[in-house]
Amino acid sequence: MKYTPKNREMVARETGLISLNTTKYSQNYNNEHYYNPVCYQLFNSPQINWDGRLLGCCINIDKDFGVNVFDVGFINAVNSENYQYTKKMLKGKVVKPKETKNIPCASCFVYKSMLETGKFIP
């Protein structure tokens, strides 16, 4: 997903940002993919849907890890096999499994970019 504001000068002036599109961000930040910070949510602030489904991050809005936080509790949900495996995928420590039904990141454009560039979460 690429986005550049129409009035770049005003946005740069008002926000102080030096990167106003994903290409410029990559150039300014050592060619790391712009959306990698979103993946940190799986580690630091896992997103939970209103109905208790564990989503992982804010980009994922329709798939889940096959566990419900309201049913199994937060600790059990984030320690579930699929969730832990996904965190290893995002770090580049394991490959995408053949069965990805309860691993939303497997079909995410951010993870696909990580695979293409070889740049995973440290």
Side-chain angles (χ1 to χ4, degrees), residues 9-58:
E9 293 77 25
M10 185 272 300
V11 173
R13 183 181 65 248
E14 295 297 320
T15 64
L17 295 172
I18 60 171
S19 305
L20 298 178
N21 64 43
T22 56
T23 303
K24 188 71 172 164
Y25 183 95
S26 290
Q27 292 169 350
N28 288 332
Y29 294 99
N30 204 17
N31 288 323
E32 291 180 19
H33 193 284
Y34 175 74
Y35 294 99
N36 278 354
V38 173
C39 299
Y40 282 103
Q41 291 178 349
L42 272 81
F43 299 85
N44 301 327
S45 57
Q47 303 299 296
I48 302 166
N49 201 43
W50 64 269
D51 60 1
R53 291 181 302 124
L54 181 61
L55 303 177
C57 77
C58 62

Side-chain angles (χ1 to χ4, degrees), residues 44-111:
N44 301 327
S45 57
Q47 303 299 296
I48 302 166
N49 201 43
W50 64 269
D51 60 1
R53 291 181 302 124
L54 181 61
L55 303 177
C57 77
C58 62
I59 289 178
N60 177 32
I61 59 171
D62 58 351
K63 298 178 181 176
D64 62 63
F65 288 89
V67 293
N68 188 297
V69 174
F70 298 157
D71 294 337
V72 302
F74 177 75
I75 298 300
N76 290 329
V78 296
N79 285 324
S80 68
E81 183 178 345
N82 289 334
Y83 198 78
Q84 290 300 310
Y85 193 90
T86 301
K87 288 168 66 174
K88 290 176 186 170
M89 281 175 39
L90 297 176
K91 289 183 171 189
K93 305 223 182 262
V94 297
V95 297
K96 180 175 80 170
K98 290 180 183 173
E99 175 53 51
T100 61
K101 179 181 178 214
N102 292 320
I103 300 183
C105 302
S107 60
C108 177
F109 70 97
V110 178
Y111 179 67

